[in-house]
Amino acid sequence: MPKRLAAKTPSFAMQLTPQLVAKTLKFVEDEGPEPNWTPISSAQLDDLVSRVEEEAGDEEIWVFAYGSLMWNPGFEVAASEEAVAYGWHRSFSLRIERFRATSDAPGLMLALRRGGSCSGLVLKLPCTTKRENLRTLLAREIRYAEVCDMARWVAVKTPTGIRPALTFWASSKQSPLTEKIPLEEAAGLIAQACGPAGSCAEYLHRTVLDLAGRNIYDRNLWQLQQMVAARLRALPEDDRI
Protein backbone atom coordinates (compact mmCIF):
# COMPACT_ATOMS: atom_id res chain seq x y z
CA MET A 1 0.00 0.00 0.00
CA PRO A 2 1.26 3.54 -0.69
CA LYS A 3 2.70 5.49 2.18
CA ARG A 4 0.39 8.19 3.50
CA LEU A 5 1.49 11.69 2.61
CA ALA A 6 0.05 13.50 5.63
CA ALA A 7 0.71 13.56 9.35
CA LYS A 8 -1.83 11.89 11.60
CA THR A 9 -4.39 13.90 13.49
CA PRO A 10 -4.16 14.24 17.27
CA SER A 11 -5.75 11.37 19.21
CA PHE A 12 -7.85 13.74 21.36
CA ALA A 13 -11.37 14.70 20.33
CA MET A 14 -12.41 17.80 18.45
CA GLN A 15 -13.66 20.58 20.70
CA LEU A 16 -15.97 22.00 18.03
CA THR A 17 -18.84 19.56 18.51
CA PRO A 18 -22.11 19.22 16.58
CA GLN A 19 -23.88 20.65 19.63
CA LEU A 20 -21.77 23.81 19.49
CA VAL A 21 -22.20 24.08 15.73
CA ALA A 22 -25.97 23.90 16.24
CA LYS A 23 -25.75 27.18 18.17
CA THR A 24 -24.64 28.93 14.96
CA LEU A 25 -27.40 27.63 12.69
CA LYS A 26 -30.49 29.64 11.86
CA PHE A 27 -32.68 30.47 8.88
CA VAL A 28 -31.25 33.32 6.78
CA GLU A 29 -32.89 34.67 3.65
CA ASP A 30 -30.81 34.89 0.50
CA GLU A 31 -29.78 38.54 0.05
CA GLY A 32 -28.40 38.12 -3.47
CA PRO A 33 -24.78 38.46 -4.62
CA GLU A 34 -21.84 39.74 -2.60
CA PRO A 35 -22.00 43.55 -2.28
CA ASN A 36 -20.06 45.43 -4.97
CA TRP A 37 -19.26 42.27 -6.93
CA THR A 38 -20.48 41.25 -10.38
CA PRO A 39 -22.00 37.78 -10.75
CA ILE A 40 -20.21 35.91 -13.49
CA SER A 41 -22.27 35.76 -16.68
CA SER A 42 -22.97 32.60 -18.64
CA ALA A 43 -20.70 33.85 -21.43
CA GLN A 44 -17.87 34.63 -19.01
CA LEU A 45 -18.26 31.20 -17.43
CA ASP A 46 -18.09 29.56 -20.86
CA ASP A 47 -14.91 31.54 -21.59
CA LEU A 48 -13.38 30.36 -18.31
CA VAL A 49 -14.30 26.74 -19.08
CA SER A 50 -12.71 27.07 -22.52
CA ARG A 51 -9.58 28.64 -21.00
CA VAL A 52 -9.14 25.76 -18.56
CA GLU A 53 -9.76 23.18 -21.30
CA GLU A 54 -7.21 24.87 -23.54
CA GLU A 55 -4.64 24.92 -20.72
CA ALA A 56 -5.28 21.23 -20.03
CA GLY A 57 -4.92 20.30 -23.70
CA ASP A 58 -5.43 16.58 -24.29
CA GLU A 59 -4.59 15.72 -20.67
CA GLU A 60 -7.08 14.52 -18.09
CA ILE A 61 -8.32 17.20 -15.69
CA TRP A 62 -7.65 16.59 -12.00
CA VAL A 63 -8.84 19.00 -9.32
CA PHE A 64 -6.95 19.58 -6.08
CA ALA A 65 -9.47 19.52 -3.24
CA TYR A 66 -8.48 20.88 0.17
CA GLY A 67 -11.79 22.04 1.73
CA SER A 68 -15.44 21.39 0.98
CA LEU A 69 -14.61 19.78 -2.37
CA MET A 70 -13.23 16.88 -0.32
CA TRP A 71 -16.53 16.14 1.39
CA ASN A 72 -18.95 17.65 -1.12
CA PRO A 73 -17.39 17.82 -4.60
CA GLY A 74 -20.66 18.64 -6.36
CA PHE A 75 -19.54 16.97 -9.60
CA GLU A 76 -19.05 13.42 -10.84
CA VAL A 77 -15.68 12.08 -9.64
CA ALA A 78 -14.10 9.43 -11.87
CA ALA A 79 -11.13 8.73 -9.56
CA SER A 80 -9.33 10.22 -6.57
CA GLU A 81 -5.89 10.11 -4.98
CA GLU A 82 -4.23 11.54 -1.90
CA ALA A 83 -2.17 14.58 -2.82
CA VAL A 84 0.11 17.23 -1.34
CA ALA A 85 0.56 20.71 -2.80
CA TYR A 86 3.99 22.00 -1.73
CA GLY A 87 4.42 25.75 -1.53
CA TRP A 88 0.76 26.23 -0.58
CA HIS A 89 -1.39 26.02 2.55
CA ARG A 90 -5.13 26.18 3.24
CA SER A 91 -6.25 29.36 4.95
CA PHE A 92 -9.49 30.97 6.04
CA SER A 93 -8.71 34.13 4.11
CA LEU A 94 -11.66 34.63 1.78
CA ARG A 95 -14.03 37.20 3.31
CA ILE A 96 -17.73 36.70 2.55
CA GLU A 97 -20.97 38.54 3.28
CA ARG A 98 -23.23 36.02 1.57
CA PHE A 99 -23.64 32.24 1.25
CA ARG A 100 -22.53 31.33 4.82
CA ALA A 101 -22.56 34.91 6.09
CA THR A 102 -24.34 38.27 5.92
CA SER A 103 -23.25 41.89 5.77
CA ASP A 104 -24.14 42.25 9.47
CA ALA A 105 -22.11 39.16 10.39
CA PRO A 106 -19.43 38.54 7.73
CA GLY A 107 -17.49 35.31 7.68
CA LEU A 108 -14.60 33.45 6.08
CA MET A 109 -14.13 30.58 3.66
CA LEU A 110 -11.04 28.59 2.73
CA ALA A 111 -8.64 29.34 -0.11
CA LEU A 112 -5.07 28.33 -0.88
CA ARG A 113 -2.31 30.77 0.07
CA ARG A 114 1.38 30.77 -0.73
CA GLY A 115 3.79 29.00 1.60
CA GLY A 116 4.05 25.70 3.47
CA SER A 117 2.30 22.56 2.25
CA CYS A 118 -1.28 21.35 1.99
CA SER A 119 -2.50 17.75 2.12
CA GLY A 120 -5.75 16.91 0.38
CA LEU A 121 -7.12 14.97 -2.59
CA VAL A 122 -7.02 15.16 -6.35
CA LEU A 123 -10.33 14.39 -8.04
CA LYS A 124 -10.51 13.34 -11.67
CA LEU A 125 -13.23 14.67 -13.95
CA PRO A 126 -14.80 11.93 -16.08
CA CYS A 127 -13.64 12.07 -19.69
CA THR A 128 -17.09 11.53 -21.21
CA THR A 129 -18.68 14.48 -19.37
CA LYS A 130 -15.56 16.55 -18.69
CA ARG A 131 -16.82 19.90 -19.98
CA GLU A 132 -20.19 19.57 -18.25
CA ASN A 133 -18.61 18.72 -14.89
CA LEU A 134 -15.91 21.37 -15.30
CA ARG A 135 -18.58 24.01 -15.89
CA THR A 136 -20.47 22.84 -12.78
CA LEU A 137 -17.27 23.06 -10.72
CA LEU A 138 -16.29 26.52 -11.97
CA ALA A 139 -19.83 27.88 -11.54
CA ARG A 140 -19.66 26.82 -7.89
CA GLU A 141 -16.17 28.10 -7.13
CA ILE A 142 -15.97 31.22 -9.32
CA ARG A 143 -19.20 33.12 -8.71
CA TYR A 144 -17.99 36.62 -9.60
CA ALA A 145 -16.33 38.11 -12.66
CA GLU A 146 -13.71 39.91 -10.56
CA VAL A 147 -12.20 36.67 -9.22
CA CYS A 148 -11.76 34.59 -12.38
CA ASP A 149 -8.01 34.57 -11.73
CA MET A 150 -8.59 32.53 -8.55
CA ALA A 151 -8.72 29.37 -10.71
CA ARG A 152 -5.18 28.15 -11.44
CA TRP A 153 -2.99 25.07 -11.87
CA VAL A 154 -0.63 23.72 -9.22
CA ALA A 155 1.73 20.76 -9.17
CA VAL A 156 0.75 18.16 -6.57
CA LYS A 157 2.51 15.05 -5.33
CA THR A 158 0.47 11.83 -5.31
CA PRO A 159 1.37 8.20 -4.59
CA THR A 160 1.68 7.71 -8.37
CA GLY A 161 3.81 10.76 -9.04
CA ILE A 162 3.61 14.50 -9.70
CA ARG A 163 0.61 15.78 -11.64
CA PRO A 164 -0.87 19.20 -12.51
CA ALA A 165 -4.19 19.92 -10.85
CA LEU A 166 -6.73 22.72 -11.10
CA THR A 167 -7.40 24.49 -7.82
CA PHE A 168 -8.65 27.74 -6.29
CA TRP A 169 -6.32 30.16 -4.53
CA ALA A 170 -6.45 33.42 -2.62
CA SER A 171 -5.36 35.75 -5.37
CA SER A 172 -5.27 39.41 -4.35
CA LYS A 173 -4.59 40.65 -7.89
CA GLN A 174 -8.21 41.69 -8.44
CA SER A 175 -9.87 40.73 -5.17
CA PRO A 176 -9.33 42.62 -1.90
CA LEU A 177 -11.60 39.97 -0.37
CA THR A 178 -8.55 37.75 0.07
CA GLU A 179 -5.96 38.58 2.71
CA LYS A 180 -3.95 37.03 5.49
CA ILE A 181 -6.06 37.06 8.66
CA PRO A 182 -4.76 36.34 12.21
CA LEU A 183 -6.26 33.20 13.76
CA GLU A 184 -7.92 35.12 16.61
CA GLU A 185 -9.74 37.39 14.15
CA ALA A 186 -10.59 34.43 11.93
CA ALA A 187 -12.10 32.56 14.89
CA GLY A 188 -14.35 35.52 15.69
CA LEU A 189 -15.60 35.80 12.11
CA ILE A 190 -16.18 32.04 11.78
CA ALA A 191 -18.03 31.85 15.10
CA GLN A 192 -20.47 34.63 14.20
CA ALA A 193 -21.30 33.96 10.55
CA CYS A 194 -24.36 32.17 9.21
CA GLY A 195 -26.10 32.52 5.85
CA PRO A 196 -28.63 30.69 3.68
CA ALA A 197 -26.11 27.89 3.00
CA GLY A 198 -25.36 27.31 6.69
CA SER A 199 -22.74 28.66 9.08
CA CYS A 200 -18.99 29.09 8.79
CA ALA A 201 -18.58 27.07 11.98
CA GLU A 202 -20.43 24.20 10.29
CA TYR A 203 -18.09 24.49 7.30
CA LEU A 204 -15.03 24.45 9.57
CA HIS A 205 -16.39 21.49 11.55
CA ARG A 206 -17.14 19.39 8.46
CA THR A 207 -13.75 20.17 6.93
CA VAL A 208 -11.71 19.33 10.04
CA LEU A 209 -13.81 16.19 10.61
CA ASP A 210 -13.22 15.05 7.04
CA LEU A 211 -9.49 15.73 7.31
CA ALA A 212 -9.35 13.78 10.57
CA GLY A 213 -11.07 10.84 8.89
CA ARG A 214 -8.29 10.86 6.30
CA ASN A 215 -5.54 11.12 8.95
CA ILE A 216 -4.69 14.64 7.81
CA TYR A 217 -3.70 17.11 10.52
CA ASP A 218 -3.81 20.79 9.60
CA ARG A 219 -2.33 22.64 12.58
CA ASN A 220 -4.03 25.98 11.85
CA LEU A 221 -7.47 24.47 11.30
CA TRP A 222 -7.12 22.31 14.42
CA GLN A 223 -6.27 25.41 16.45
CA LEU A 224 -9.12 27.32 14.81
CA GLN A 225 -11.71 24.73 15.77
CA GLN A 226 -10.51 24.96 19.37
CA MET A 227 -10.78 28.77 19.34
CA VAL A 228 -14.22 28.77 17.70
CA ALA A 229 -15.42 26.14 20.16
CA ALA A 230 -14.29 28.30 23.09
CA ARG A 231 -16.25 31.27 21.74
CA LEU A 232 -19.39 29.19 21.23
CA ARG A 233 -19.15 27.57 24.67
CA ALA A 234 -19.22 31.07 26.16
CA LEU A 235 -22.65 31.72 24.64
CA PRO A 236 -25.80 31.10 26.72
CA GLU A 237 -27.34 27.70 26.06
CA ASP A 238 -30.37 29.14 24.28
CA ASP A 239 -28.44 31.82 22.37
CA ARG A 240 -28.00 31.65 18.61
CA ILE A 241 -25.50 33.66 16.59
Side-chain angles (χ1 to χ4, degrees):
M1 293 181 64
K3 183 179 179 181
R4 292 201 66 89
L5 298 175
K8 291 186 176 181
T9 53
S11 59
F12 44 86
M14 282 180 59
Q15 294 185 29
L16 184 58
T17 63
Q19 292 75 22
L20 289 175
V21 170
K23 285 188 172 188
T24 69
L25 299 175
K26 62 181 179 180
F27 173 77
V28 178
E29 292 187 359
D30 190 340
E31 298 177 300
E34 290 279 343
N36 304 316
W37 292 93
T38 310
I40 190 169
S41 69
S42 180
Q44 289 171 320
L45 182 58
D46 287 338
D47 287 344
L48 181 57
V49 171
S50 296
R51 189 200 89 191
V52 171
E53 285 184 321
E54 183 178 348
E55 291 169 346
D58 295 330
E59 299 297 321
E60 299 169 334
I61 294 181
W62 291 77
V63 179
F64 180 60
Y66 54 86
S68 61
L69 286 176
M70 298 178 69
W71 45 267
N72 182 29
F75 63 90
E76 185 181 351
V77 176
S80 66
E81 288 186 313
E82 297 175 355
V84 179
Y86 291 101
W88 299 91
H89 66 280
R90 60 172 63 80
S91 172
F92 274 91
S93 58
L94 180 59
R95 291 183 181 269
I96 57 170
E97 295 183 29
R98 298 292 186 267
F99 193 56
R100 289 184 180 270
T102 63
S103 294
D104 292 335
L108 295 172
M109 299 286 281
L110 281 172
L112 280 188
R113 290 189 66 86
R114 299 275 191 182
S117 65
C118 180
S119 298
L121 298 175
V122 280
L123 311 175
K124 180 183 173 183
L125 272 63
C127 295
T128 54
T129 57
K130 182 167 64 176
R131 184 176 179 86
E132 176 186 346
N133 282 277
L134 177 60
R135 197 178 196 281
T136 297
L137 169 67
L138 292 173
R140 164 180 161 166
E141 299 295 324
I142 305 295
R143 297 170 181 264
Y144 301 100
E146 292 86 354
V147 295
C148 285
D149 67 323
M150 290 178 66
R152 63 160 297 153
W153 298 90
V154 295
V156 298
K157 182 179 180 181
T158 76
T160 56
I162 304 293
R163 71 168 75 254
L166 183 69
T167 196
F168 304 95
W169 70 304
S171 167
S172 58
K173 180 180 178 181
Q174 295 177 339
S175 173
L177 291 174
T178 58
E179 58 185 276
K180 185 174 182 180
I181 299 172
L183 284 182
E184 189 65 39
E185 181 183 350
L189 290 167
I190 292 169
Q192 75 175 8
C194 183
S199 70
C200 287
E202 177 188 37
Y203 172 77
L204 171 63
H205 176 262
R206 292 194 66 176
T207 300
V208 176
L209 197 64
D210 185 85
L211 291 172
R214 302 178 192 279
N215 290 327
I216 297 174
Y217 169 54
D218 186 298
R219 181 178 58 189
N220 285 343
L221 263 61
W222 193 263
Q223 187 175 352
L224 258 181
Q225 64 87 21
Q226 294 173 323
M227 297 166 74
V228 171
R231 287 173 178 267
L232 296 177
R233 278 196 301 268
L235 296 173
E237 284 302 314
D238 59 348
D239 198 3
R240 304 268 173 165
I241 298 299

